[in-house]
Amino acid sequence: MTLRLYNTLHREKQDFTPADPARVTLYVCGPTVYNHAHIGNFRPVIVFDTLFRLLRATYGEANVVYARNITDIEDKIIARAQAENLTIKTLTQTYADIYNAEAGAINALPPTIEPWATAHISEMIEITAALIEKGHAYTGASGVWFHVPGMENYGALSGRKQEDNEAGARVDVSEEKRDPADFALWKFAKPDEPEDAIWDSPWGKGRPGWHIECSAMAAAQLGTTIDIHGGGVDLQFPHHENEIAQSECAHGAPMARFWMHNGFLDMSGEKMSKSLGNVVLLKDLLEDWHGEVIRFALLSGHYRMPLDWTDELLAQAKTTLDRIYGALGRVWEAANVKASDHTVLDALGDDLNTPIALAALSKLAGEANAAAQAGDNKDMATAKANLLAAGHLLGLLQSAPADWAKGEDTDDNARIDALVEARNAARAAKDWAESDRIRDTLKAEGIEIMDSAEGASWRRV
Ligand code: AMP
Ligand code: ZN
């Protein structure tokens, strides 16, 4: 089957073939870890996890390399670490662990590689040095700058050219720039910045800019030209445009052959974002909803479209999943055979059309019901295999139907693990109110947390 993917770079759906089918490469911009991620932040996680699953099904599990980075050095991280009197490592490890536990609770597979920005500072310095040498960058009073007008094709991804990179909180405002669109590759340390936020460089002590982090990690882990680069649509400009500028000017090769962007998750028609204050945290959702319900809700819209997040969406997802699990339960005892249906795979292969894929999953559930009703053992076995294979592709139906019906299943354990981990993190961050709140929440569910020297464990009482 040929995969069709919408390539933002060319503004159309294209046939996807990897440069090397034995090593298909996918890079997705990961979180900046300094507090809890909201459900909008998990939309790219689920979208690109579904793409990862599709690529693995198409090219073989061992032949797909997915890197999702951790941004563990950034202004907001430094500010939070200083405010809480924590080392940067303690803060970032805490929230990276929480992020991964929460991603696991909505059935996101771990990426093949999780590069941390601070482990790649030397590569960031190398790219910066190459850009200076090639005349694409210059040193100013507060850091090293990439000179945007020096790149002929700048703006090809977003169609935005001379816009001001000063817009946006992540970019320093400075009068030393030769052009307002120039952006920072290296930022010199300011007085009062903590020691663990400072590295040596040929130009002076400091730290990398945000964009160069991804250019360095993608090249170091996956190579100078990767197959697919993904992220939220807000990253298209300036972040991805600047990644392209740095990587292509330094390496003389395209950074990625395909660029994919997920649309926003909205609340009442507005982007969910920390700055607007309309966020719903995944950790809070997991207290009320099973991880698969949340995942199903995230998959219910096409990834390039905005998705409005409502309680009705979650309730609908739960009703549909209950029905599908009910059907799976009716064929659960059937023999194990090979799956024969391709409708879910085909829907995903058409630019990750998850609404059609979920409709196909419901249709398979209908076939399971019909086979069970007719008492046809062969059809029941086929229906079971088809449902499970489709569920594997979509990251759904990972519980036994009986456990799902009880509402107390292995995924629920994962959810509790995530909450206990979140409480550990809150304790490490000295957020006692949060740690007490989580303990009380679990207690109300009949779950007791036991602290010991080895860490926290839990049991149902
Ligand atoms: P950040 O930590 O802000 O860099 O965001 C991490 C990821 O979440 C990026 O890929 C963003 O594009 C994505 N993102 C942030 N807010 C939303 C939203 N409301 N809907 C969808 N994706 C989002
Ligand atoms: Zn990035």
Side-chain angles (χ1 to χ4, degrees), residues 132-144:
I132 293 175
E133 197 182 304
K134 294 183 182 186
H136 284 293
Y138 58 93
T139 308
S142 67
V144 180

Side-chain angles (χ1 to χ4, degrees), residues 54-72:
L54 174 65
L55 293 172
R56 283 157 56 109
T58 308
Y59 298 100
E61 288 194 3
N63 299 330
V64 183
V65 189
Y66 171 24
R68 186 181 68 210
N69 76 285
I70 295 284
T71 293
D72 63 331

Side-chain angles (χ1 to χ4, degrees), residues 115-393:
W116 285 52
T118 57
H120 290 277
I121 302 281
S122 62
E123 288 97 330
M124 295 170 203
I125 290 174
E126 276 167 33
I127 297 178
T128 304
L131 290 171
I132 293 175
E133 197 182 304
K134 294 183 182 186
H136 284 293
Y138 58 93
T139 308
S142 67
V144 180
W145 299 94
F146 184 91
H147 189 48
V148 168
M151 186 200 188
E152 207 181 321
N153 293 332
Y154 185 87
L157 178 71
S158 61
R160 294 162 71 164
K161 251 189 144 42
Q162 286 310 319
E163 262 160 296
D164 192 347
N165 267 309
E166 283 177 12
R170 302 209 196 220
V171 183
D172 279 347
V173 176
S174 158
E175 285 171 9
E176 68 192 83
K177 298 202 279 182
R178 291 184 191 161
D179 187 277
D182 293 356
F183 59 88
L185 298 169
W186 188 260
K187 300 171 172 188
F188 294 145
K190 300 184 202 83
D192 300 335
E193 279 184 349
E195 271 302 305
D196 55 354
I198 301 173
W199 286 264
D200 280 325
S201 86
W203 316 285
K205 285 179 185 296
R207 66 192 147 89
W210 172 41
H211 314 300
I212 194 79
E213 296 182 4
C214 285
S215 284
M217 287 183 273
Q221 298 291 347
L222 302 178
T224 44
T225 301
I226 58 181
D227 287 314
I228 305 172
H229 191 314
V233 66
D234 53 336
L235 299 187
Q236 202 176 306
F237 183 90
H239 182 54
H240 289 165
E241 208 68 83
N242 293 351
E243 282 187 36
I244 290 174
Q246 300 159 154
S247 295
E248 303 200 356
C249 289
H251 302 134
M255 182 181 191
R257 298 165 56 245
F258 276 72
W259 286 82
M260 292 175 67
H261 294 95
N262 65 272
F264 286 139
L265 188 129
D266 291 339
M267 286 280 266
S268 319
E270 256 191 321
K271 179 196 176 190
M272 183 181 288
S273 79
K274 279 166 209 152
S275 50
L276 289 174
N278 59 348
V279 300
V280 179
L281 303 183
L282 175 54
K283 76 176 170 84
D284 294 332
L285 285 168
L286 284 167
E287 288 180 17
D288 296 331
W289 303 95
H290 192 288
E292 279 195 18
V293 170
I294 297 168
R295 184 179 179 105
F296 193 106
L298 285 169
L299 292 174
S300 63
H302 191 273
Y303 78 94
R304 283 193 282 123
M305 295 293 156
L307 178 68
D308 208 42
W309 193 254
T310 60
D311 280 345
E312 292 77 67
L313 183 73
L314 285 156
Q316 183 65 50
K318 177 164 186 334
T319 305
T320 310
L321 258 181
D322 281 344
R323 206 162 47 217
I324 296 169
Y325 265 109
L328 183 61
R330 280 170 213 117
V331 294
W332 190 245
E333 299 300 334
N336 292 320
V337 297
K338 251 172 90 83
S340 56
D341 181 82
H342 288 281
T343 54
V344 172
L345 188 69
D346 289 347
L348 294 180
D350 181 15
D351 194 31
L352 234 48
N353 198 327
T354 55
I356 303 244
L358 292 180
L361 184 69
S362 280
K363 192 152 170 284
L364 293 177
E367 289 170 13
N369 283 332
Q373 178 98 44
D376 183 324
N377 286 335
K378 193 160 163 279
D379 285 356
M380 283 167 75
T382 303
K384 174 186 166 188
N386 286 341
L387 272 175
L388 289 177
H392 181 67
L393 259 177

Side-chain angles (χ1 to χ4, degrees), residues 410-445:
T410 47
D411 276 10
D412 196 48
N413 293 348
R415 177 187 68 90
I416 295 164
D417 287 340
L419 280 169
V420 171
E421 201 143 347
R423 178 173 166 273
N424 289 343
R427 282 161 64 91
K430 302 198 177 84
D431 185 347
W432 308 120
E434 174 69 4
S435 96
D436 287 351
R437 195 187 64 79
I438 295 173
R439 195 198 52 221
D440 292 346
T441 302
L442 287 174
K443 198 167 159 203
E445 290 183 34

